[in-house]
Amino acid sequence: MDAYERIMRNAEEVVTDEEVRELAADPAGKRAYVGYEPSGVLHLGHLLTANKLIDLQEAGLEVVVLLADVHAYLNGKGTFEEIRETAEQMKAQFIAYGIDEDSAEFVYGSEFQLEKEYTLDLHALELETTLNRAQRAMAEIQGGETAKVSHVVYPLMQTLDIEYLDLDLAVGGIDQRKVHMLAREELPELGYEVRPALHTPIVADLTTGEGKMSSSEGVTISMEDSTDELEEKVNSAFCPPTADPEGDLENPVLELFEYHVFPRFSEIVVERPDEYGGNVTYEQYESLEADLESGELHPADAKGTLASYLDELIAPGREKLREIRS
Ligand code: NAL
């Protein structure tokens, strides 16, 4: 896999492809970032973009992880002290998960977002942007609550961070796309450059195959889950044996294989007794998907395999959490 293919693996969208190709041609010294509102426990939603950061490190880029404490505050996630503490825990779990500490930079938003120059730029951006535009950029991030003034400042700060962190690529879930589009439009108004963005998919809810998996709604898997809890959740996951003919339901079991397991392991072994066909090894996601859809691979075997690989991925972070809390 060359640098471009690795950068693009499992991306739902890049804006623009041409800009990403340019970046891939000469990745040395280029900086990509993801920002996270600190929360104490990582779940699969965080790990999907973390997988992309690992891809980017392997492609030769430097990665910046923004622990977006001010953003979490603006989004009503707690006091500054609470948010700081959860940010430290989050950082430790990312490193345990496999983000290479030596080539990654972890930055707190509050380290630069409270400076005078930043604040004046923020006000310039406030003057440039309509309320409507800022609200639309925030809608998918914030969900259904009544918008506060803080909620419209939030996407403007996210826009400005792309400049202030001196980034060459902004990475986020597809729910961040309106913020990144706002950045493309507004940064030049302040005399700053436009940077490309890469968006990862959002994995469907485990039990229904609908919507987005997150900690707040539906069932997700997190660094807090024991091996047994994880198995239980995977076993109860929605896993239709054939693709949904209407096409509007996802198969979360397949999505987890595609976005979480295959990117981190070079081969996947499904262990089965001989009377059920014996062990099978998959090197590519597509072969596993084809076997599940043709009935070659039973959903129960797929789920058992998925649970054990996810458990292996989560184990170091689970251990780290235990350490932090003891
Ligand atoms: C991502 C988030 C918050 C602030 C950021 C600043 C710069 C770049 C990315 C950022 C978190 C993200 C979320 N909006 O919904 O989790």
Side-chain angles (χ1 to χ4, degrees):
M1 217 182 292
D2 67 19
Y4 173 75
E5 286 167 342
R6 197 172 285 276
I7 293 169
M8 295 296 285
R9 164 161 77 178
N10 286 341
E12 179 154 334
E13 164 187 74
V14 290
V15 188
T16 65
D17 184 63
E18 197 185 336
E19 291 165 25
V20 172
R21 280 182 193 277
E22 225 169 275
L23 193 67
D26 184 19
K30 299 284 167 39
R31 289 155 62 83
Y33 85 91
V34 180
Y36 299 96
E37 288 185 28
S39 70
V41 179
L42 297 191
H43 58 69
L44 289 177
H46 299 116
L47 299 182
L48 206 139
T49 40
N51 288 340
K52 181 46 64 191
L53 291 180
I54 293 170
D55 277 339
L56 296 171
Q57 288 191 318
E58 284 170 1
L61 281 89
E62 287 172 22
V63 311
V64 180
V65 177
L66 177 71
L67 301 166
D69 52 354
V70 177
H71 282 85
Y73 183 75
L74 290 172
N75 203 12
K77 298 295 169 68
T79 66
F80 251 95
E81 286 70 42
E82 288 160 354
I83 292 165
R84 269 265 156 173
E85 194 177 313
T86 60
E88 280 300 311
Q89 297 176 3
M90 186 179 223
K91 175 179 170 182
Q93 291 166 80
F94 274 127
I95 293 166
Y97 182 68
I99 303 255
D100 175 21
E101 202 177 349
D102 298 328
S103 66
E105 189 185 329
F106 288 85
V107 184
Y108 281 92
S110 55
E111 285 173 42
F112 62 96
Q113 290 160 349
L114 306 171
E115 299 291 328
K116 183 171 167 185
E117 193 195 348
Y118 183 98
T119 305
L120 284 172
D121 267 349
L122 178 59
H123 293 331
L125 210 48
E126 290 162 358
L127 204 51
E128 284 292 330
T129 314
T130 64
L131 260 181
N132 187 352
R133 184 77 201 272
Q135 264 176 321
R136 275 189 286 129
M138 190 57 182
E140 279 193 59
I141 294 171
Q142 183 239 338
E145 298 160 49
T146 315
K148 300 276 173 59
V149 173
S150 67
H151 291 137
V152 293
V153 174
Y154 180 119
L156 302 186
M157 288 180 61
Q158 192 167 332
T159 292
L160 216 46
D161 292 349
I162 299 174
E163 168 66 27
Y164 274 75
L165 291 171
D166 195 16
L167 298 166
D168 301 292
L169 177 68
V171 176
I174 193 77
D175 54 342
Q176 309 296 315
R177 86 179 298 276
K178 286 191 179 155
V179 175
H180 291 153
M181 294 304 155
L182 180 75
R184 282 186 85 81
E185 230 169 273
E186 300 296 348
L187 283 179
E189 299 289 331
L190 272 65
Y192 298 137
E193 243 175 82
V194 161
R195 277 70 158 210
L198 182 153
H199 301 131
T200 66
I202 301 248
V203 171
D205 179 83
L206 261 186
T207 50
T208 62
E210 292 174 300
K212 118 178 185 183
M213 173 157 33
S214 73
S215 53
S216 53
E217 40 190 300
V219 175
T220 187
I221 288 166
S222 83
M223 291 287 189
E224 246 174 354
D225 290 329
S226 67
T227 302
D228 287 349
E229 284 166 337
L230 197 153
E231 266 173 20
E232 215 171 284
K233 286 180 182 178
V234 172
N235 278 332
S236 58
F238 180 64
C239 183
T242 51
D244 175 31
E246 312 277 294
D248 49 6
L249 285 187
E250 304 297 339
N251 180 328
V253 171
L254 283 178
E255 288 188 332
L256 293 177
F257 269 115
E258 184 174 15
Y259 302 129
H260 290 275
V261 178
F262 276 90
R264 298 293 308 277
F265 295 93
S266 56
E267 55 174 46
I268 308 303
V269 182
V270 177
E271 294 183 11
R272 291 187 303 200
D274 287 341
E275 71 255 45
Y276 294 118
N279 292 359
V280 219
T281 301
Y282 295 101
E283 284 172 15
Q284 285 184 342
Y285 164 73
E286 287 73 18
S287 336
L288 185 147
E289 179 192 86
D291 277 6
L292 187 83
E293 289 183 350
S294 71
E296 258 333 278
L297 176 65
H298 192 277
D301 290 322
K303 287 178 177 182
T305 305
L306 177 62
S308 75
Y309 280 93
L310 288 177
D311 192 56
E312 189 174 333
L313 286 172
I314 278 163
R318 179 200 288 142
E319 192 51 40
K320 183 50 82 182
L321 260 186
R322 213 174 276 155
E323 229 175 273
I324 293 169
R325 288 171 172 179
S326 67

